[in-house]
Amino acid sequence: FGFYGEVLGARIAEYLLEKTRVVRQADGENNFHVFYYLLAGADEAMRARLELTDVVSYHYLRGGCPGVTRDAAIDMDMATMQPQFENLTKSLTNVGFKAEDQLNVCLLLAAVLHCGNTEFHPNDVDRAVIVSRTPIAKVASLLSLNEENLRFALVSTTNLTRGEHIQTDYTVEQAEDARDGMAKALYGRLFSWIVQQINGLLGPRGRAYMDACVREGGVTEVGILDIFGFENFARNSFEQFCINLANEQLQFFFNQHIFAMENAQYREEGIDSSAITFKDNKGLLDMVLARPVGLFALLDEECRIPRASTQSLLDKFSETSAKLKWPGFKVLEKKDASKFVQHLKGTMAVRQPHDRNVPALFQVEHYAGTVLYDAEGFLEKNRDTLSATIVNVLKASHNPLVHKLFSSPMSRVGSFFKNDNQSRTQKGVDQGRLSVSGHFKNSLMDLLDKMLAAAPHFIRCIKP
């Protein structure tokens, strides 16, 4: 805002994109709405260009689990989505996106959907083989890729060892991880690029902005942070753990700003504030974020071990917790997990009772309540692997946008990096060096930097 309150521009900051939602959703959850908008609103010419069918034809919109179609996909009201696609395209046009840019967005979104339909089966030596080349052919066409190179990259990788190129063939599980990693990377980098384009088009500039900058008090910024709330579902996984950690960090900031600082001011003025109490959650944040023995550090350490498993991760958590006496943390033994499943059956804290196996649970006492997390999948989701072979295939795309997205480094917060004035936590780095939890931690630190430099106001939203 300028000196007289006039709007000079706007900027969007990207934090904590939940890329895992692209490839897998829990019961009752949908994928990102833009996929449904595209399927409902694209005209016949666009549908033919993107080779689109209906919503239940896509693995990633059925929940991401083979052979399962979520009720959320079946019950999706596509009629209400059609005008949303029109609103989206109008908004992009109004902001300044050209027709070519909008087409590229649709091409990449459709490619993500077709990518998810790629299936694998094992050959005689348990190596992954692509069942049908049709989805891969569609992806290659939409992204202007070499189809043969793409097929190779999804079922194998090549590493340089002592000057010699060594080919490693994937198992079916590894091939599925490679496919999903590619889909998440496409969506995540496209999202970051859209945010950057919007910032370039709406950012403050021009004579009015320059005049305001040289005037004392001439520029005022108002930032709005809209973040997901505390989550406790039927099955809580890595995503819920990260989301709840973000809420813990914001709660700590709230406590420090509202309670700790106020109490310090009361003490300076000689006012008795002993009756004012609050729950200090700094210990929980240290338990997760501290190095070298916080939960995130231990998770990263286990991700670097080739034969690591969910059980070895839980063992490491349990041993460290016993040694450091973490408050509010507990790894549940199988017998205890069974008891909790029976005791809390039907609540939001455990898996549904039809699950056959007892989940590998650990318990965290958050400021908002106790949550049981299923550790299955933590290692895979934290690695979020995208092989160099796939990256090289995407870099070689004849589509200028796809080439750009995979030729630029990622920032330390896990978003697409552009070499401009970034904050100290957003310098370009080799994306292979940081795990998802590493990107997540840097996002939190970057967010706190901005909040500490501001005069915050808090709005509590209550879900009815």
Side-chain angles (χ1 to χ4, degrees):
F1 295 92
F3 185 78
Y4 299 104
E6 69 275 25
V7 177
L8 298 176
R11 181 175 296 275
I12 299 173
E14 173 194 349
Y15 293 106
L16 317 175
L17 179 65
E18 190 185 350
K19 292 188 296 181
T20 303
R21 182 179 292 271
V22 173
V23 302
R24 190 162 289 107
Q25 307 91 48
D27 281 324
E29 291 189 333
N30 294 320
N31 208 313
F32 290 106
H33 284 161
V34 69
F35 291 115
Y36 307 105
Y37 296 169
L38 177 63
L39 288 169
D43 59 29
E44 289 302 317
M46 177 65 78
R47 294 178 70 87
R49 172 72 176 84
L50 304 180
E51 300 190 69
L52 296 175
T53 53
D54 58 272
V55 65
V56 294
S57 298
Y58 298 100
H59 178 72
Y60 286 157
L61 300 185
R62 298 196 301 266
C65 298
V68 175
T69 300
R70 302 290 191 198
D71 291 340
I74 298 173
D75 297 337
M76 178 62 63
D77 186 357
M78 298 303 286
T80 63
M81 298 294 176
Q82 183 173 356
Q84 296 297 336
F85 182 75
E86 297 173 2
N87 292 337
L88 175 62
T89 55
K90 287 179 182 177
S91 298
L92 291 173
T93 301
N94 291 338
V95 170
F97 280 74
K98 299 177 182 178
E100 181 183 0
D101 294 331
Q102 296 186 40
L103 174 60
N104 275 328
V105 170
C106 293
L107 288 172
L108 266 73
L109 291 174
V112 169
L113 292 178
H114 292 305
C115 182
N117 282 2
T118 306
E119 297 181 344
F120 310 91
H121 67 76
N123 62 12
D124 295 339
V125 291
D126 289 332
R127 300 295 95 183
V129 176
I130 295 174
V131 174
S132 170
R133 62 175 293 268
T134 301
I136 292 297
K138 292 178 180 179
V139 173
S141 174
L142 292 169
L143 300 182
S144 300
L145 304 175
N146 181 291
E147 181 185 340
E148 182 179 352
N149 290 344
L150 179 58
R151 289 203 306 269
F152 174 86
L154 289 176
V155 296
S156 61
T157 188
T158 302
N159 298 305
L160 185 63
T161 304
R162 297 178 181 177
E164 182 180 359
H165 290 279
I166 306 297
Q167 177 180 327
T168 303
D169 295 329
Y170 289 152
T171 64
V172 169
E173 183 179 358
Q174 290 170 330
E176 290 173 346
D177 287 342
R179 175 201 64 195
D180 292 347
M182 175 177 161
K184 289 185 287 185
L186 283 167
Y187 188 89
R189 296 186 189 210
L190 174 63
F191 185 92
S192 294
W193 176 80
I194 291 173
V195 169
Q196 287 187 1
Q197 293 299 107
I198 292 173
N199 287 340
L201 293 165
L202 298 184
R205 59 184 181 274
R207 180 63 182 272
Y209 177 63
M210 299 303 296
D211 290 344
C213 286
V214 299
R215 184 170 188 169
E216 184 178 354
V219 177
T220 303
E221 294 182 355
V222 176
I224 300 175
L225 172 65
D226 181 13
I227 195 166
F228 25 57
F230 186 81
E231 292 188 351
N232 193 358
F233 294 146
R235 178 176 181 261
N236 299 296
S237 189
F238 182 70
E239 298 82 16
Q240 284 68 49
F241 186 70
C242 291
I243 287 169
N244 291 342
L245 173 64
N247 279 272
E248 288 284 356
Q249 186 72 74
L250 293 177
Q251 181 67 28
F252 177 76
F253 179 84
F254 177 84
N255 289 344
Q256 292 297 307
H257 188 80
I258 299 298
F259 295 112
M261 293 181 182
E262 288 294 317
N263 279 340
Q265 184 175 347
Y266 290 157
R267 287 193 296 271
E268 288 179 4
E269 298 175 0
I271 300 174
D272 181 16
S273 61
S274 58
I276 302 175
T277 61
F278 63 93
K279 183 178 179 180
D280 187 358
N281 63 340
K282 185 177 184 303
L284 188 145
L285 291 173
D286 290 341
M287 178 183 76
V288 179
L289 299 174
R291 299 191 67 87
V293 289
L295 290 175
F296 271 174
L298 296 174
L299 177 59
D300 284 348
E301 179 181 299
E302 200 68 9
C303 283
R304 291 190 289 269
I305 300 175
R307 296 186 178 276
S309 65
T310 299
Q311 190 56 52
S312 67
L313 175 66
L314 286 179
D315 290 342
K316 184 165 288 187
F317 283 176
S318 183
E319 291 168 6
T320 308
S321 177
K323 182 178 179 180
L324 299 181
K325 295 181 171 54
W326 283 336
F329 179 87
K330 180 182 179 182
V331 172
L332 276 67
E333 300 290 340
K334 291 293 184 182
K335 59 179 181 179
D336 294 326
S338 298
K339 291 178 182 178
F340 269 89
V341 170
Q342 293 300 318
H343 178 65
L344 299 177
K345 186 179 296 185
T347 73
M348 291 297 290
V350 295
R351 285 183 171 188
Q352 296 299 326
H354 62 254
D355 282 19
R356 291 177 297 174
N357 300 321
V358 176
L361 299 175
F362 67 91
Q363 173 182 299
V364 176
E365 292 182 11
H366 291 281
Y367 78 92
T370 300
V371 179
L372 296 179
Y373 294 99
D374 190 342
E376 188 68 39
F378 265 55
L379 292 170
E380 293 78 8
K381 292 175 181 179
N382 188 51
R383 291 188 187 107
D384 193 25
T385 50
L386 181 64
S387 76
T389 307
I390 289 180
V391 172
N392 289 334
V393 171
L394 293 166
K395 279 183 182 179
S397 170
H398 295 295
N399 181 305
L401 177 58
V402 177
H403 171 76
K404 179 180 180 180
L405 293 182
F406 289 89
S407 297
S408 301
M410 302 300 291
S411 74
R412 292 189 69 232
V413 299
S415 60
F416 175 67
F417 179 71
K418 183 179 179 182
N419 189 21
D420 55 8
N421 295 325
Q422 300 283 346
S423 69
R424 65 178 175 83
T425 62
Q426 289 182 309
K427 297 176 183 178
V429 296
D430 177 1
Q431 60 104 21
R433 296 178 184 174
L434 284 177
S435 63
V436 173
S437 62
H439 288 311
F440 192 89
K441 180 179 178 180
N442 287 334
S443 292
L444 283 179
M445 297 305 104
D446 188 66
L447 174 59
L448 285 176
D449 282 350
K450 290 181 171 62
M451 295 179 68
L452 288 169
H457 297 266
F458 301 91
I459 301 174
R460 289 289 191 178
C461 300
I462 300 175
K463 185 183 293 186

